[in-house]
Structures are given as structure tokens and as C-alpha cells.
Amino acid sequence: MPEKIEELLRAALAAAQEAGELPEFDVNDLGLERPADPSNGDWSSTLAMRSAKLARRAPRQIADAIVAHLPADPAVDRVEVAGPGFINFYLAMASANEVFRTVCKQGRDYARSEMGAGEKVQVEFVSANPVGPLHIGHGRWAALGDSLCRVFEHAGFDVEREYYINDHGSQMDVFGHSVSMRYRQLLEVMGERGCDLQAAREALLADREAFVADEDDSRPETHPLTDAFNEALGGNAYGGDYIVDIAARFLEEDGEKWASAPEEERMAEFRERGYLWMLDSIRGTCHDARCDFDVWFSERSLYVKDETGTSAVDRALAALDELGHLYRDEAGALWFRSTTFGDDKDRVLIKTNGEYTYFASDVAYHWNKFQRVDHVIDIWGADHHGYIQRVQSACEALGYPTQFEVLLGQLVNLLRDGNPVRMSKRKGTMVTFDELLAEVGADATRYTLISKSSNQMIDFDIERVKRQDNTNPVYYVQYAHARICSILRRGAGVTVEEAAELGMDEVARRAVGETYDLGLLVDPAEAALARKIAELPGLVESCARDRAPFRLTHYAEELAAEFHSFYAACQVLPGAGRPLDEALSHARLVACDATRRVLALTLELIGVSAPQSM
């Protein structure tokens, strides 16, 4: 329909210009949009305001001239000029109802567009260090990143999901030493107490639990093992329970093989194998959250030398040097002249001792990205805000001034019945994303984490999100979908089990029949439902353009509300003592089926399931 209205507007503008009522001028964007208030029409154009300077006329005068020359079209009931020059189109009821037929015909392809024109976009997100489990903050980036990718794909982009594995740097050694120390402690407890591995593991975990409970460290006698662990590593350690579990796994698989090995040798072994186990766990968590990546990119790979003896980092820095953007200071450190590109100070790439900085990895990594894709989007936590300019400067220096962008995400406040869930980085305590998914479920977790703009904080109340009633938005939306499936099953005369075997599309086809007359749908509640369904194509494009998939949750709730209003106002199936014209019933079943399909599609775009029964 927007294409049809644009065609009518352009024809009217040409006719008004040919009649001499308007001067010659061209306008590319007709400013066509859906008014928020239905009383202002189904579609509204700001063409008159946009062309006022070009035409040197008042917008209202331009609008009147255009409307006077609009060709008649059966799809349009009337056109009005409003305010300073809005051109408002009111569709004929039959034309507005055609959206039901369109949805049922197109199915999952409804609202798909060519906006992206096949542009290859890479979205890099989560990218947590592979030295511990994911937490709820990582979960938010998983929900946001994956939902954004789904929206991009529906809008016609070629999308690549990427996870950057931070497996190069001192944190890897800290991880290895942490596992090594816990391994030694397990052996120590087994030897001193004469117990088996499981009992030793439980002893370490109980000691750590006492350490966490002792908030002011006033009872050190209750947690000597954890104190010894922290003291041995100078407080530079990963202290979570998972470190004990990894150490126990080494004992299960290798026994006491590493007990007498030199610390560096033991650390290196535990670092490498433990890191791979941790990475497998992260992959599993992401998969459980319905967030699978196309590429898992290892930071280490940037430092691997090729046959010429150079690494990706070497080649990226050489490219910057050749472009004249690097210099060395008197002490021999290598610097990037990032102030040339708006940064507040230049950035060091190689220290005086020859050690590469983390920024050097980022330069090489983003240079590598642009060899593979057209546009790069990184999703970072809000605490990385100060890092954006230096990476942007590097991308611009390498010749990609507009192809890099960063989405910043705010934190998640985890609550239970309104009370904050206490977590401590120093104590190594947190609720893992795995634990949250297990307790709440992927649907409610993802829906809640994507329900607000990324620049807003989210209060995630575990008990509220678990509720199975209409106060819980995800339940409200899923219930609307399940309710429609129930209506269609009754219309087709099939059971839940038969519907599961047939598929809901076939059930709907049987319920509706081969022919139906949408012209019978004249109730205002039916018109409101059609209007809401017709909003999705424009919404998908706006979500892609503005990087705002959270709008889909608002839309899903609004559509569910419109359906419930429709169902309250319009009888769909005949019942005992409530006869209903068969043709009208079939038309309303089409409206139900279209709503079902759009609800399912909207939920799919944010990675949430659409249950057929609840």
C-alpha cells in the first residue's frame, strides 16, 4: 500500500506542475508514514512541508494543489489536508482488510524487505573472556545482538554473527594459576583428611561459601582454604566455584599427574585445556539462549606468524605506518597518532619492552573484519564508552571512516521479589546466565532482556519474570498466540495432538476453507487489528535502521491487546445459542490466522517461541 500511495502522490504532483499550479521541482522522499492517531488517516505524507522551499509556496497551498490532482483509486476512501500541510490518506475498508490475505499468503516472509540490499553486516557481541561463565550482562548482549541480527536478515542484509575470544593476554595466565592452585588444594585436602575427590571438592566449596558469607572478613577461621588461595595468588585470581569444578575435572581425568610438575608447566596445561572447556561451556550457554554464532574469532590468531614471519598484528601496524600514522618516542615505544582523527591523545601500540598493547589487537582485529564485511557493529558495555574514539580513529586511519559503529548497552539489575540479588566481584559471586536460563527459561529471559532500549538499564526481577499471568508481558503475548491456535483448532475440528501433526498452517487452511470474503469485516475492532498488522513492515525497517529491536516487544504487546479487543467484540465461531453467518466466521478466522502468523513472526525476530497451547 505505501508504494501505491507514493505512486498516487507522484502522479498528482506531476499533474499539478503540468497544470501550472505548482513550479517544477523534484522530491525523492515523500515523507510517508503511519500516523500514531488513526483519526489522522492510515497513511500521512509530509511532501508539502518538505517541498515548501523548493516550490516557494506555503505547505498548505502545495498540499491543496496535490490533493486536487490525486487520481481516483478504489483502495483510497478519502484524502484530507490537515494542519500545516499533512496529506492524510484514509483507506477503503476492503483495501485495509487485504493485509489479512497478504499475511496468510506470505507467512514468515511478511514484512521482509530489500532495505539492506544484500550489504554484508557483521555484528560482534558478548565476546566475554573465556575464563569464566557468562553472567546476566552477557545475556543482555546475547539477546540484543542476536535479535538485531534477526531483524537485519528480515530487512535484507547479509548478516554475520561473531564472537571475539579474548584468549591472548595476562588474564589467561591468571586463569591457569587459579585452576592450578585449586588442584593443589584438592590434593592437599584429600591427603590430610583421607577423603575422596568429591568430599574434597565439597570441602573447598563449603570453605568458599563461608568466605562469601563473611562479608567483613571477621571470621577467617571459617574459610582458611580460600584465604590461602587468595594469599598464594596475591589476590590476582578467579575465585568462583567453577574454578574448583575445573580443578576437580583435571583430577578426574589426569589424577595426580600434575602434582609434582613445575608450576609454570602445570599452569600452562591447565590454562590451555581449562580454557577450551570454558569455551565449550560458553558455546553451550549461548546455544541454550538461542544465540548461535557464525564465527568464533580467536585473538591469539592475530599473533600467529605466517610463512613470511609476520602476524596479522604486524601487517595491520605496517599498513598504518605506511599511511604515515605511526611514530616512535625516545624510549622506543610505538604510537598511533590518533589525535589526527579526533582522539584526545595518541595511543601506544607497542610498549618500550616490546609488549603489544590490547589496543594493538583491536587495530588488527578490526582491520581483519573489514577484509570480510562491508559494515561492522560492535556491542559493548557502557563502561567501554571511552574506548570508542580510539577504535574509530584506527578504522578511519585504515580507510574505513563510516563503516564502524558501536552500540553501548547499560547494565542489568538482578532482583528477586523486588530485592537486589547480591553479587560481588571481589568475592567471586554471581548468578550465571546458565542458572538464570534454567530457572526462568529462554523465552522469558530473552523477551525481558530485549524489552528496553540498550541505553536504558533493565530491572530483571526473577520472580516477576517467571509469573504465568497477564502481568508478565511475554506470557501475555504468548497466550494471545496460543488462544488463536485454539480458535483455529476448534474451527477446523481437530485436537491438539492432530494439530501438532498437521501444523498450524494446515489447521488454519481447514478452518478457513478455500474462499473467503474480507469485505464482510466492517467492525471497528477488525479495522484496528488490520491497521496494527499493517504496521509491521515499516517497524522492521525502523528497528534495523535505528538498531532498536526492543520496539518489537512493544509491538507484540499492542498486537496482542488489539486481538483480545477484537475477540471480545467480534464473535468468530458459532456456539450453542449463538448462531453466526458462515461466511463472516470464515472471514474472521482469516483475521485470526493473520494475527497468529504476525505474532509468531514478531516473537521469532526476538528469538522467542510462539506456543500453540498454554
Side-chain angles (χ1 to χ4, degrees):
M1 185 50 65
E3 293 80 7
K4 165 65 73 175
I5 294 175
E6 285 202 3
E7 181 183 325
L8 295 174
L9 283 170
R10 293 191 186 281
L13 176 60
Q17 289 172 333
E18 186 176 346
E21 296 179 26
L22 291 176
E24 292 293 328
F25 61 86
D26 292 321
V27 178
N28 292 326
D29 186 356
L30 303 184
L32 199 62
E33 58 187 28
R34 303 278 290 186
D37 184 351
S39 67
N40 293 324
D42 295 288
W43 292 93
S44 182
S45 172
T46 56
L47 168 60
M49 283 86 87
R50 290 169 181 266
S51 58
K53 287 186 178 179
L54 295 172
R56 297 183 179 180
R57 304 280 178 88
R60 182 88 188 199
Q61 185 180 358
I62 298 171
D64 287 337
I66 290 172
V67 170
H69 289 275
L70 273 170
D73 191 284
V76 178
D77 181 54
R78 70 184 192 279
V79 182
E80 296 177 354
V81 177
F86 291 100
I87 303 175
N88 297 335
F89 289 79
Y90 297 80
L91 301 182
M93 186 68 76
S95 177
N97 288 342
E98 280 301 307
V99 71
F100 296 134
R101 191 190 314 274
T102 299
V103 171
C104 293
K105 180 179 179 181
Q106 294 181 354
R108 292 176 62 188
D109 286 332
Y110 179 64
R112 195 177 292 279
S113 82
E114 295 303 318
M115 173 188 179
E119 178 184 6
K120 187 155 190 177
V121 175
Q122 184 215 80
V123 184
E124 183 235 312
F125 55 106
V126 183
S127 299
N129 287 345
V131 293
L134 301 182
H135 55 64
I136 191 170
H138 300 130
R140 184 175 192 184
W141 313 151
L144 170 62
D146 182 66
S147 298
L148 182 60
C149 289
R150 291 168 185 250
V151 168
F152 276 149
E153 287 168 338
H154 213 70
F157 292 88
D158 181 4
V159 180
E160 180 178 88
R161 297 163 172 82
E162 182 150 306
Y163 188 113
Y164 183 53
I165 309 168
N166 296 278
D167 53 4
H168 177 84
S170 61
Q171 81 278 2
M172 300 304 297
D173 288 350
V174 172
F175 172 71
H177 283 302
S178 300
V179 176
S180 174
M181 184 62 191
R182 285 304 198 186
Y183 173 88
R184 291 164 59 195
Q185 285 190 316
L186 285 170
L187 286 173
E188 177 186 328
V189 171
M190 291 167 67
E192 290 179 353
R193 304 185 186 184
C195 62
D196 62 11
L197 173 58
Q198 181 59 30
R201 174 182 169 277
E202 291 174 359
L204 257 65
L205 292 177
D207 182 277
R208 220 188 80 74
E209 185 176 344
F211 169 76
V212 171
D214 187 13
E215 295 182 17
D216 56 1
D217 292 328
S218 61
R219 301 187 306 279
E221 71 280 359
T222 65
H223 45 80
L225 293 169
T226 303
D227 285 347
F229 170 79
N230 289 328
E231 184 178 351
L233 297 175
N236 189 20
Y238 292 103
D241 290 354
Y242 70 95
I243 295 292
V244 177
D245 293 336
I246 293 174
R249 181 171 175 180
F250 274 107
L251 270 169
E252 289 172 346
E253 295 191 2
D254 295 4
E256 298 183 20
K257 174 181 177 180
W258 302 103
S260 58
E263 172 59 23
E264 286 304 309
E265 181 181 337
R266 180 171 54 241
M267 182 279 291
E269 177 72 15
F270 289 2
R271 178 190 64 201
E272 295 307 302
R273 285 169 59 191
Y275 142 66
L276 293 177
W277 293 341
M278 203 70 254
L279 193 57
D280 282 344
S281 174
I282 290 172
R283 282 196 181 97
T285 302
C286 290
H287 179 73
D288 290 343
R290 303 181 189 135
C291 175
D292 294 309
F293 290 87
D294 302 305
V295 179
W296 292 77
F297 191 99
S298 167
E299 182 183 358
R300 290 181 179 182
S301 67
L302 296 170
Y303 291 89
V304 175
K305 306 284 186 182
D306 64 11
E307 63 277 1
T308 68
T310 61
S311 67
V313 173
D314 296 330
R315 292 187 289 275
L317 300 191
L320 280 176
D321 194 25
E322 187 175 343
L323 291 166
H325 300 309
L326 303 187
Y327 67 91
R328 287 193 180 273
D329 63 17
E330 293 180 356
L334 185 67
W335 292 77
F336 167 51
R337 196 175 282 107
S338 56
T339 50
T340 303
F341 304 95
D343 200 1
D344 59 346
K345 62 181 179 179
D346 293 343
R347 305 293 174 176
V348 66
L349 295 165
I350 302 179
K351 302 176 185 178
T352 55
N353 63 2
E355 180 183 338
Y356 290 92
T357 64
Y358 188 80
F359 180 54
S361 296
D362 269 337
V363 171
Y365 177 45
H366 285 83
W367 191 54
N368 176 285
K369 291 186 182 195
F370 288 118
Q371 315 309 307
R372 298 181 276 136
V373 299
D374 303 316
H375 193 85
V376 168
I377 299 174
D378 290 357
I379 299 179
W380 299 347
D383 56 334
H384 286 72
H385 179 272
Y387 206 75
I388 296 176
Q389 182 58 60
R390 71 188 71 178
V391 179
Q392 178 64 58
S393 297
C395 293
E396 187 172 350
L398 288 166
Y400 307 99
T402 62
Q403 293 104 304
F404 169 72
E405 64 178 288
V406 175
L407 298 183
L408 291 177
Q410 292 292 337
L411 300 177
V412 180
N413 295 318
L414 193 60
L415 310 171
R416 190 180 289 276
D417 273 336
N419 299 310
V421 176
R422 303 190 69 171
M423 292 181 280
S424 167
K425 186 173 183 181
R426 186 179 77 84
K427 293 281 187 176
T429 58
M430 68 173 180
V431 176
T432 69
F433 192 38
D434 260 336
E435 292 169 337
L436 196 66
L437 288 169
E439 181 173 358
V440 177
D443 283 342
T445 298
R446 279 194 63 136
Y447 192 99
T448 304
L449 292 175
I450 197 65
S451 62
K452 286 188 177 181
S453 169
S454 60
N455 59 22
Q456 291 182 286
M457 295 186 72
I458 286 179
D459 287 336
F460 191 110
D461 192 314
I462 295 172
E463 297 305 322
R464 182 178 179 182
V465 172
K466 285 163 55 178
R467 286 178 190 163
Q468 299 289 300
D469 60 40
N470 286 342
T471 65
N472 185 351
V474 64
Y475 180 88
Y476 179 73
V477 173
Q478 288 182 318
Y479 176 73
H481 182 272
R483 187 180 196 182
I484 296 171
C485 291
S486 175
I487 294 167
L488 292 171
R489 287 194 298 268
R490 284 186 283 133
V494 300
T495 65
V496 172
E497 294 74 21
E498 289 169 336
E501 185 175 340
L502 290 169
M504 283 309 303
D505 290 354
E506 174 60 20
V507 171
R509 189 192 67 78
R510 293 187 181 189
V512 171
E514 297 300 327
T515 60
Y516 48 85
D517 181 5
L518 296 178
L520 298 173
L521 304 179
V522 296
D523 191 280
E526 294 162 338
L529 190 60
R531 177 185 170 83
K532 181 56 64 176
I533 286 175
E535 290 177 8
L536 186 61
L539 178 63
V540 169
E541 291 196 351
S542 79
C543 288
R545 182 186 62 246
D546 301 334
R547 288 40 170 156
F550 75 93
R551 294 173 184 164
L552 289 167
T553 63
H554 301 175
Y555 174 79
E557 291 159 37
E558 291 165 2
L559 179 57
E562 291 290 4
F563 174 76
H564 291 312
S565 296
F566 154 79
Y567 193 63
C570 303
Q571 182 181 347
V572 175
L573 297 172
R578 298 182 66 208
L580 181 67
D581 178 76
E582 184 177 358
L584 179 57
S585 176
H586 286 175
R588 287 177 174 169
L589 282 168
V590 174
C592 289
D593 188 38
T595 307
R596 171 189 71 87
R597 292 172 184 267
V598 172
L599 280 172
L601 173 58
T602 304
L603 290 171
E604 181 183 336
L605 289 174
I606 55 174
V608 176
S609 70
Q612 295 181 14
S613 60
M614 292 177 69

